[in-house]
Amino acid sequence: MEELARLAGITVRTLRFYRERKLIPPPRREGRIAWYDDHHLARLRTITALLERGHTLSGIAELAEAFDHGRDVGDLLGVGEPTEETPVRLTPEELADHFAGEVTAENLAAAMDLGYLGTDGDEIVHVSRRLLDVSAALVREGIPLAAVLAAGHRVRAHAEALADLFTDLITHHGPEKDLHRLRPLAKSVVDAELSMALDRRLNKGA
């Protein structure tokens, strides 16, 4: 415990307090010996960084619980990584920097339920660089992250319906393998229709 506290730059008393608050997982025990590892050190450094960013200990405890019970990266990515999206690995501190003041236990759980976030050891994995960047940009524009995630749920439902539509269209009129080759055409149709729909909304407000 003394060595862990020294490496983390905190006092043993603070470390005991974090243990009592369940901010860090219990050590591995062998008889009367308690063993701490790199996972505990990484968690302590994360706590320090989040405190420096203005998070409270109660908020950090909620985040830690959501983080520890979240979906792991295997569940997030399924059998393989997205074919056209680039997953992003983040520390909890980096995630907090992307969404300053908006990283709450509720939002973290919602993002995990949606399939945006998973965990891999002490890292967080976002399934898509593009979705991460767009979500952060919307939050910087003043839209609450909770609202962005709620919209993400609705978009997901529509996207699944569109994927089913194009899959049925293509496989009904050709070999199933053509779905991979014709995928860009489906995306172009959706992009064009969304663009025109936004034009119609803008013209209504003019």
Side-chain angles (χ1 to χ4, degrees):
M1 181 179 286
E2 289 79 6
E3 183 181 3
L4 177 64
R6 178 179 57 79
L7 291 172
I10 60 176
T11 65
V12 172
R13 181 179 180 182
T14 298
L15 176 55
R16 288 199 178 98
F17 175 73
Y18 288 167
R19 278 187 53 186
E20 292 170 359
R21 294 289 298 270
K22 297 183 179 180
L23 292 171
I24 62 173
R28 177 175 58 87
R29 290 193 174 275
E30 292 183 3
R32 295 189 175 186
I33 302 176
W35 294 99
Y36 295 91
D37 55 25
D38 290 341
H39 174 72
H40 294 93
L41 180 58
R43 178 62 64 87
L44 289 171
R45 287 173 173 168
T46 293
I47 292 170
T48 299
L50 291 176
L51 286 171
E52 290 174 350
R53 287 162 170 76
H55 289 261
T56 65
L57 283 176
S58 295
I60 294 172
E62 292 177 354
L63 289 176
E65 183 177 4
F67 184 72
D68 289 338
H69 293 88
R71 303 172 64 189
D72 66 28
V73 68
D75 294 333
L76 178 68
L77 299 177
V79 296
E81 295 190 357
T83 56
E84 295 187 9
E85 299 303 314
T86 303
V88 184
R89 291 181 175 273
L90 303 159
T91 64
E93 305 93 2
E94 290 169 338
L95 184 67
D97 287 341
H98 272 82
F99 303 100
E102 294 280 338
V103 180
T104 63
E106 291 79 8
N107 285 339
L108 184 59
M112 287 179 169
D113 288 341
L114 185 56
Y116 283 178
L117 295 180
T119 60
D120 186 13
D122 292 309
E123 287 186 313
I124 295 173
V125 179
H126 196 293
V127 73
S128 167
R129 165 65 71 182
R130 288 195 294 178
L131 286 174
L132 173 64
D133 290 344
V134 169
S135 299
L138 289 171
V139 170
R140 287 195 298 271
E141 291 293 331
I143 301 175
L145 181 56
V148 173
L149 293 171
H153 273 284
R154 297 178 62 187
V155 171
R156 173 67 56 79
H158 290 297
E160 293 287 352
L162 288 168
D164 287 342
L165 187 157
F166 280 105
T167 298
D168 292 343
L169 174 68
I170 294 170
T171 57
H172 181 71
H173 295 282
E176 188 172 345
K177 63 181 180 180
D178 282 350
L179 180 61
H180 296 285
R181 181 171 61 84
L182 299 179
R183 175 177 176 160
L185 300 181
K187 292 174 59 181
S188 294
V189 170
V190 173
D191 185 63
E193 285 288 357
L194 178 59
S195 178
M196 290 188 293
L198 288 170
D199 285 342
R200 290 191 288 272
R201 296 300 184 279
L202 291 171
N203 289 334
K204 284 183 180 179

Short mmCIF file of all heavy atoms in Angstrom, two decimals, residues 14-57:
data_model
loop_
_atom_site.label_atom_id
_atom_site.label_comp_id
_atom_site.label_asym_id
_atom_site.label_seq_id
_atom_site.Cartn_x
_atom_site.Cartn_y
_atom_site.Cartn_z
N THR A 14 -5.02 8.85 2.13
CA THR A 14 -5.90 9.10 0.99
C THR A 14 -6.25 7.80 0.27
O THR A 14 -7.40 7.58 -0.13
CB THR A 14 -5.24 10.08 0.00
OG1 THR A 14 -5.02 11.33 0.66
CG2 THR A 14 -6.12 10.31 -1.22
N LEU A 15 -5.25 6.95 0.13
CA LEU A 15 -5.49 5.66 -0.52
C LEU A 15 -6.52 4.84 0.25
O LEU A 15 -7.42 4.24 -0.34
CB LEU A 15 -4.17 4.90 -0.64
CG LEU A 15 -4.25 3.48 -1.23
CD1 LEU A 15 -4.92 3.49 -2.59
CD2 LEU A 15 -2.85 2.88 -1.33
N ARG A 16 -6.40 4.82 1.56
CA ARG A 16 -7.37 4.08 2.37
C ARG A 16 -8.78 4.68 2.20
O ARG A 16 -9.77 3.95 2.15
CB ARG A 16 -6.96 4.13 3.84
CG ARG A 16 -5.75 3.27 4.19
CD ARG A 16 -5.69 3.00 5.69
NE ARG A 16 -4.56 2.14 6.04
CZ ARG A 16 -3.40 2.58 6.50
NH1 ARG A 16 -3.20 3.88 6.67
NH2 ARG A 16 -2.43 1.74 6.79
N PHE A 17 -8.82 6.01 2.13
CA PHE A 17 -10.12 6.68 1.94
C PHE A 17 -10.73 6.26 0.59
O PHE A 17 -11.93 5.98 0.51
CB PHE A 17 -9.92 8.19 1.99
CG PHE A 17 -11.17 8.97 1.69
CD1 PHE A 17 -12.21 9.02 2.60
CD2 PHE A 17 -11.30 9.66 0.49
CE1 PHE A 17 -13.37 9.74 2.33
CE2 PHE A 17 -12.44 10.39 0.21
CZ PHE A 17 -13.48 10.43 1.13
N TYR A 18 -9.92 6.22 -0.46
CA TYR A 18 -10.42 5.80 -1.78
C TYR A 18 -10.92 4.36 -1.73
O TYR A 18 -11.92 4.02 -2.38
CB TYR A 18 -9.31 5.92 -2.82
CG TYR A 18 -8.96 7.34 -3.21
CD1 TYR A 18 -7.80 7.60 -3.95
CD2 TYR A 18 -9.77 8.40 -2.86
CE1 TYR A 18 -7.47 8.90 -4.32
CE2 TYR A 18 -9.45 9.70 -3.21
CZ TYR A 18 -8.29 9.94 -3.94
OH TYR A 18 -7.97 11.22 -4.30
N ARG A 19 -10.21 3.50 -0.99
CA ARG A 19 -10.65 2.11 -0.87
C ARG A 19 -12.00 2.03 -0.16
O ARG A 19 -12.88 1.28 -0.57
CB ARG A 19 -9.62 1.29 -0.10
CG ARG A 19 -8.45 0.81 -0.92
CD ARG A 19 -7.57 -0.13 -0.13
NE ARG A 19 -8.32 -1.23 0.47
CZ ARG A 19 -7.79 -2.12 1.29
NH1 ARG A 19 -6.51 -2.04 1.65
NH2 ARG A 19 -8.53 -3.11 1.78
N GLU A 20 -12.16 2.82 0.90
CA GLU A 20 -13.42 2.82 1.64
C GLU A 20 -14.57 3.31 0.78
O GLU A 20 -15.70 2.82 0.91
CB GLU A 20 -13.29 3.69 2.89
CG GLU A 20 -12.34 3.12 3.94
CD GLU A 20 -12.04 4.10 5.04
OE1 GLU A 20 -12.57 5.24 4.98
OE2 GLU A 20 -11.27 3.76 5.97
N ARG A 21 -14.28 4.26 -0.11
CA ARG A 21 -15.31 4.79 -1.01
C ARG A 21 -15.49 3.91 -2.24
O ARG A 21 -16.31 4.21 -3.10
CB ARG A 21 -14.93 6.21 -1.45
CG ARG A 21 -14.92 7.25 -0.34
CD ARG A 21 -16.33 7.57 0.13
NE ARG A 21 -17.15 8.12 -0.92
CZ ARG A 21 -17.25 9.43 -1.19
NH1 ARG A 21 -16.55 10.31 -0.47
NH2 ARG A 21 -18.03 9.87 -2.16
N LYS A 22 -14.73 2.82 -2.31
CA LYS A 22 -14.79 1.87 -3.43
C LYS A 22 -14.46 2.53 -4.77
O LYS A 22 -15.01 2.17 -5.82
CB LYS A 22 -16.17 1.21 -3.50
CG LYS A 22 -16.48 0.37 -2.27
CD LYS A 22 -17.83 -0.33 -2.38
CE LYS A 22 -18.10 -1.18 -1.15
NZ LYS A 22 -19.41 -1.87 -1.22
N LEU A 23 -13.56 3.52 -4.71
CA LEU A 23 -13.09 4.16 -5.94
C LEU A 23 -12.08 3.30 -6.67
O LEU A 23 -11.85 3.48 -7.87
CB LEU A 23 -12.47 5.52 -5.61
CG LEU A 23 -13.45 6.59 -5.11
CD1 LEU A 23 -12.69 7.82 -4.63
CD2 LEU A 23 -14.44 6.97 -6.19
N ILE A 24 -11.45 2.39 -5.95
CA ILE A 24 -10.53 1.45 -6.57
C ILE A 24 -10.95 0.04 -6.18
O ILE A 24 -11.54 -0.16 -5.11
CB ILE A 24 -9.06 1.69 -6.17
CG1 ILE A 24 -8.87 1.50 -4.65
CG2 ILE A 24 -8.60 3.08 -6.60
CD1 ILE A 24 -7.43 1.57 -4.21
N PRO A 25 -10.69 -0.94 -7.02
CA PRO A 25 -11.06 -2.32 -6.68
C PRO A 25 -10.19 -2.85 -5.54
O PRO A 25 -9.08 -2.34 -5.31
CB PRO A 25 -10.81 -3.09 -7.98
CG PRO A 25 -9.79 -2.28 -8.72
CD PRO A 25 -10.08 -0.85 -8.36
N PRO A 26 -10.66 -3.85 -4.82
CA PRO A 26 -9.86 -4.40 -3.73
C PRO A 26 -8.60 -5.08 -4.26
O PRO A 26 -8.56 -5.52 -5.41
CB PRO A 26 -10.80 -5.42 -3.08
CG PRO A 26 -11.78 -5.78 -4.14
CD PRO A 26 -11.96 -4.53 -4.97
N PRO A 27 -7.56 -5.16 -3.43
CA PRO A 27 -6.32 -5.81 -3.87
C PRO A 27 -6.49 -7.33 -3.92
O PRO A 27 -7.43 -7.89 -3.35
CB PRO A 27 -5.32 -5.41 -2.80
CG PRO A 27 -6.16 -5.22 -1.57
CD PRO A 27 -7.46 -4.65 -2.05
N ARG A 28 -5.57 -7.97 -4.61
CA ARG A 28 -5.52 -9.43 -4.60
C ARG A 28 -4.79 -9.86 -3.33
O ARG A 28 -3.73 -9.35 -3.01
CB ARG A 28 -4.78 -9.93 -5.85
CG ARG A 28 -4.61 -11.45 -5.90
CD ARG A 28 -3.97 -11.85 -7.22
NE ARG A 28 -2.67 -11.22 -7.41
CZ ARG A 28 -1.52 -11.72 -6.96
NH1 ARG A 28 -1.51 -12.84 -6.26
NH2 ARG A 28 -0.37 -11.08 -7.19
N ARG A 29 -5.38 -10.80 -2.63
CA ARG A 29 -4.81 -11.20 -1.34
C ARG A 29 -4.22 -12.60 -1.40
O ARG A 29 -4.77 -13.51 -2.00
CB ARG A 29 -5.88 -11.14 -0.25
CG ARG A 29 -6.31 -9.73 0.09
CD ARG A 29 -7.11 -9.66 1.37
NE ARG A 29 -7.37 -8.28 1.75
CZ ARG A 29 -6.54 -7.52 2.45
NH1 ARG A 29 -5.38 -8.02 2.85
NH2 ARG A 29 -6.85 -6.27 2.75
N GLU A 30 -3.05 -12.73 -0.77
CA GLU A 30 -2.40 -14.01 -0.55
C GLU A 30 -2.08 -14.10 0.93
O GLU A 30 -1.10 -13.51 1.40
CB GLU A 30 -1.13 -14.14 -1.39
CG GLU A 30 -1.38 -14.22 -2.89
CD GLU A 30 -0.10 -14.42 -3.68
OE1 GLU A 30 0.97 -14.54 -3.05
OE2 GLU A 30 -0.18 -14.44 -4.92
N GLY A 31 -2.93 -14.80 1.67
CA GLY A 31 -2.78 -14.81 3.12
C GLY A 31 -3.05 -13.43 3.68
O GLY A 31 -4.09 -12.84 3.44
N ARG A 32 -2.06 -12.89 4.39
CA ARG A 32 -2.20 -11.55 4.96
C ARG A 32 -1.62 -10.47 4.06
O ARG A 32 -1.62 -9.29 4.42
CB ARG A 32 -1.51 -11.50 6.33
CG ARG A 32 -2.17 -12.39 7.37
CD ARG A 32 -1.58 -12.11 8.74
NE ARG A 32 -2.26 -12.87 9.79
CZ ARG A 32 -2.02 -12.72 11.08
NH1 ARG A 32 -1.10 -11.85 11.47
NH2 ARG A 32 -2.69 -13.45 11.97
N ILE A 33 -1.12 -10.86 2.90
CA ILE A 33 -0.49 -9.91 2.00
C ILE A 33 -1.50 -9.43 0.96
O ILE A 33 -2.19 -10.24 0.34
CB ILE A 33 0.72 -10.54 1.28
CG1 ILE A 33 1.75 -11.03 2.31
CG2 ILE A 33 1.37 -9.53 0.33
CD1 ILE A 33 2.92 -11.75 1.70
N ALA A 34 -1.59 -8.10 0.79
CA ALA A 34 -2.46 -7.50 -0.21
C ALA A 34 -1.60 -7.00 -1.37
O ALA A 34 -0.67 -6.20 -1.16
CB ALA A 34 -3.26 -6.35 0.40
N TRP A 35 -1.90 -7.48 -2.56
CA TRP A 35 -1.12 -7.11 -3.74
C TRP A 35 -1.89 -6.13 -4.61
O TRP A 35 -3.03 -6.37 -4.99
CB TRP A 35 -0.79 -8.35 -4.56
CG TRP A 35 0.13 -9.32 -3.88
CD1 TRP A 35 -0.21 -10.45 -3.22
CD2 TRP A 35 1.56 -9.21 -3.78
NE1 TRP A 35 0.89 -11.07 -2.70
CE2 TRP A 35 2.00 -10.34 -3.04
CE3 TRP A 35 2.50 -8.29 -4.25
CZ2 TRP A 35 3.35 -10.55 -2.76
CZ3 TRP A 35 3.82 -8.51 -3.96
CH2 TRP A 35 4.25 -9.62 -3.23
N TYR A 36 -1.25 -5.01 -4.92
CA TYR A 36 -1.79 -4.03 -5.87
C TYR A 36 -1.00 -4.13 -7.18
O TYR A 36 0.17 -4.51 -7.18
CB TYR A 36 -1.70 -2.61 -5.31
CG TYR A 36 -2.56 -2.39 -4.09
CD1 TYR A 36 -2.05 -2.59 -2.81
CD2 TYR A 36 -3.87 -1.97 -4.22
CE1 TYR A 36 -2.85 -2.39 -1.69
CE2 TYR A 36 -4.68 -1.76 -3.11
CZ TYR A 36 -4.15 -1.98 -1.85
OH TYR A 36 -4.94 -1.78 -0.74
N ASP A 37 -1.64 -3.77 -8.29
CA ASP A 37 -0.97 -3.90 -9.57
C ASP A 37 -1.12 -2.62 -10.39
O ASP A 37 -1.58 -1.58 -9.89
CB ASP A 37 -1.51 -5.11 -10.35
CG ASP A 37 -3.03 -5.05 -10.53
OD1 ASP A 37 -3.59 -3.95 -10.50
OD2 ASP A 37 -3.64 -6.13 -10.71
N ASP A 38 -0.73 -2.71 -11.67
CA ASP A 38 -0.78 -1.53 -12.54
C ASP A 38 -2.20 -1.02 -12.73
O ASP A 38 -2.40 0.18 -12.99
CB ASP A 38 -0.17 -1.87 -13.91
CG ASP A 38 1.34 -2.06 -13.84
OD1 ASP A 38 1.95 -1.59 -12.86
OD2 ASP A 38 1.91 -2.70 -14.75
N HIS A 39 -3.18 -1.91 -12.64
CA HIS A 39 -4.58 -1.49 -12.77
C HIS A 39 -4.95 -0.51 -11.66
O HIS A 39 -5.61 0.51 -11.91
CB HIS A 39 -5.50 -2.70 -12.74
CG HIS A 39 -6.96 -2.36 -12.73
ND1 HIS A 39 -7.62 -1.87 -13.83
CD2 HIS A 39 -7.88 -2.44 -11.73
CE1 HIS A 39 -8.88 -1.66 -13.52
NE2 HIS A 39 -9.07 -2.00 -12.26
N HIS A 40 -4.53 -0.81 -10.43
CA HIS A 40 -4.82 0.09 -9.31
C HIS A 40 -4.11 1.44 -9.49
O HIS A 40 -4.69 2.50 -9.21
CB HIS A 40 -4.39 -0.55 -7.99
CG HIS A 40 -5.17 -1.77 -7.63
ND1 HIS A 40 -4.76 -3.03 -7.97
CD2 HIS A 40 -6.35 -1.92 -6.95
CE1 HIS A 40 -5.65 -3.91 -7.53
NE2 HIS A 40 -6.61 -3.27 -6.90
N LEU A 41 -2.88 1.39 -9.96
CA LEU A 41 -2.13 2.63 -10.16
C LEU A 41 -2.79 3.48 -11.24
O LEU A 41 -2.92 4.70 -11.09
CB LEU A 41 -0.68 2.30 -10.55
CG LEU A 41 0.24 3.50 -10.79
CD1 LEU A 41 0.30 4.38 -9.55
CD2 LEU A 41 1.64 3.02 -11.19
N ALA A 42 -3.21 2.84 -12.33
CA ALA A 42 -3.88 3.58 -13.40
C ALA A 42 -5.18 4.21 -12.90
O ALA A 42 -5.50 5.36 -13.24
CB ALA A 42 -4.16 2.65 -14.58
N ARG A 43 -5.93 3.49 -12.08
CA ARG A 43 -7.17 4.03 -11.54
C ARG A 43 -6.90 5.22 -10.63
O ARG A 43 -7.62 6.24 -10.70
CB ARG A 43 -7.92 2.93 -10.79
CG ARG A 43 -9.23 3.39 -10.13
CD ARG A 43 -10.25 3.88 -11.14
NE ARG A 43 -10.68 2.83 -12.03
CZ ARG A 43 -11.68 1.99 -11.78
NH1 ARG A 43 -12.36 2.07 -10.66
NH2 ARG A 43 -12.03 1.08 -12.68
N LEU A 44 -5.87 5.14 -9.80
CA LEU A 44 -5.53 6.25 -8.92
C LEU A 44 -5.11 7.49 -9.70
O LEU A 44 -5.49 8.62 -9.37
CB LEU A 44 -4.43 5.85 -7.95
CG LEU A 44 -4.83 4.85 -6.85
CD1 LEU A 44 -3.61 4.37 -6.09
CD2 LEU A 44 -5.84 5.48 -5.89
N ARG A 45 -4.35 7.29 -10.75
CA ARG A 45 -3.94 8.42 -11.59
C ARG A 45 -5.14 9.02 -12.31
O ARG A 45 -5.22 10.24 -12.53
CB ARG A 45 -2.87 7.97 -12.57
CG ARG A 45 -1.52 7.73 -11.89
CD ARG A 45 -0.49 7.12 -12.82
NE ARG A 45 0.82 7.06 -12.16
CZ ARG A 45 1.87 6.38 -12.64
NH1 ARG A 45 1.74 5.69 -13.79
NH2 ARG A 45 3.01 6.37 -11.99
N THR A 46 -6.10 8.17 -12.69
CA THR A 46 -7.32 8.66 -13.31
C THR A 46 -8.12 9.50 -12.32
O THR A 46 -8.64 10.57 -12.68
CB THR A 46 -8.18 7.48 -13.81
OG1 THR A 46 -7.50 6.82 -14.88
CG2 THR A 46 -9.54 7.95 -14.29
N ILE A 47 -8.22 9.03 -11.09
CA ILE A 47 -8.96 9.79 -10.06
C ILE A 47 -8.34 11.17 -9.88
O ILE A 47 -9.04 12.19 -9.83
CB ILE A 47 -8.96 9.02 -8.73
CG1 ILE A 47 -9.80 7.74 -8.86
CG2 ILE A 47 -9.50 9.89 -7.60
CD1 ILE A 47 -9.66 6.80 -7.68
N THR A 48 -7.00 11.21 -9.78
CA THR A 48 -6.31 12.49 -9.62
C THR A 48 -6.59 13.42 -10.78
O THR A 48 -6.88 14.61 -10.60
CB THR A 48 -4.80 12.26 -9.48
OG1 THR A 48 -4.54 11.45 -8.32
CG2 THR A 48 -4.05 13.58 -9.35
N ALA A 49 -6.52 12.87 -12.00
CA ALA A 49 -6.74 13.70 -13.19
C ALA A 49 -8.18 14.21 -13.25
O ALA A 49 -8.42 15.38 -13.60
CB ALA A 49 -6.42 12.89 -14.45
N LEU A 50 -9.14 13.37 -12.90
CA LEU A 50 -10.54 13.80 -12.93
C LEU A 50 -10.83 14.84 -11.86
O LEU A 50 -11.61 15.77 -12.07
CB LEU A 50 -11.47 12.59 -12.77
CG LEU A 50 -11.49 11.61 -13.94
CD1 LEU A 50 -12.36 10.40 -13.62
CD2 LEU A 50 -11.97 12.29 -15.22
N LEU A 51 -10.20 14.70 -10.69
CA LEU A 51 -10.35 15.71 -9.65
C LEU A 51 -9.80 17.05 -10.13
O LEU A 51 -10.39 18.11 -9.88
CB LEU A 51 -9.63 15.28 -8.36
CG LEU A 51 -10.30 14.17 -7.55
CD1 LEU A 51 -9.36 13.71 -6.43
CD2 LEU A 51 -11.62 14.65 -6.97
N GLU A 52 -8.67 17.01 -10.84
CA GLU A 52 -8.09 18.24 -11.37
C GLU A 52 -8.98 18.89 -12.42
O GLU A 52 -8.94 20.09 -12.63
CB GLU A 52 -6.71 17.94 -11.98
CG GLU A 52 -5.65 17.58 -10.94
CD GLU A 52 -4.35 17.15 -11.57
OE1 GLU A 52 -4.33 16.94 -12.81
OE2 GLU A 52 -3.35 17.00 -10.83
N ARG A 53 -9.83 18.08 -13.07
CA ARG A 53 -10.74 18.60 -14.09
C ARG A 53 -12.08 19.04 -13.49
O ARG A 53 -13.00 19.37 -14.22
CB ARG A 53 -10.98 17.53 -15.17
CG ARG A 53 -9.78 17.33 -16.09
CD ARG A 53 -9.88 16.01 -16.83
NE ARG A 53 -8.87 15.89 -17.89
CZ ARG A 53 -7.59 15.63 -17.68
NH1 ARG A 53 -7.16 15.49 -16.45
NH2 ARG A 53 -6.75 15.54 -18.69
N GLY A 54 -12.19 18.99 -12.17
CA GLY A 54 -13.38 19.51 -11.51
C GLY A 54 -14.42 18.49 -11.14
O GLY A 54 -15.49 18.85 -10.62
N HIS A 55 -14.16 17.20 -11.38
CA HIS A 55 -15.13 16.17 -10.97
C HIS A 55 -15.08 15.99 -9.46
O HIS A 55 -14.03 16.10 -8.83
CB HIS A 55 -14.82 14.84 -11.65
CG HIS A 55 -15.11 14.84 -13.13
ND1 HIS A 55 -16.26 14.29 -13.65
CD2 HIS A 55 -14.41 15.32 -14.18
CE1 HIS A 55 -16.25 14.43 -14.96
NE2 HIS A 55 -15.14 15.05 -15.31
N THR A 56 -16.22 15.68 -8.87
CA THR A 56 -16.28 15.41 -7.43
C THR A 56 -16.00 13.93 -7.19
O THR A 56 -16.12 13.09 -8.09
CB THR A 56 -17.66 15.76 -6.87
OG1 THR A 56 -18.64 14.89 -7.45
CG2 THR A 56 -18.02 17.21 -7.17
N LEU A 57 -15.65 13.59 -5.94
CA LEU A 57 -15.42 12.18 -5.60
C LEU A 57 -16.68 11.35 -5.78
O LEU A 57 -16.62 10.20 -6.21
CB LEU A 57 -14.91 12.06 -4.17
CG LEU A 57 -13.44 12.42 -3.95
CD1 LEU A 57 -13.10 12.35 -2.46
CD2 LEU A 57 -12.52 11.50 -4.75
#
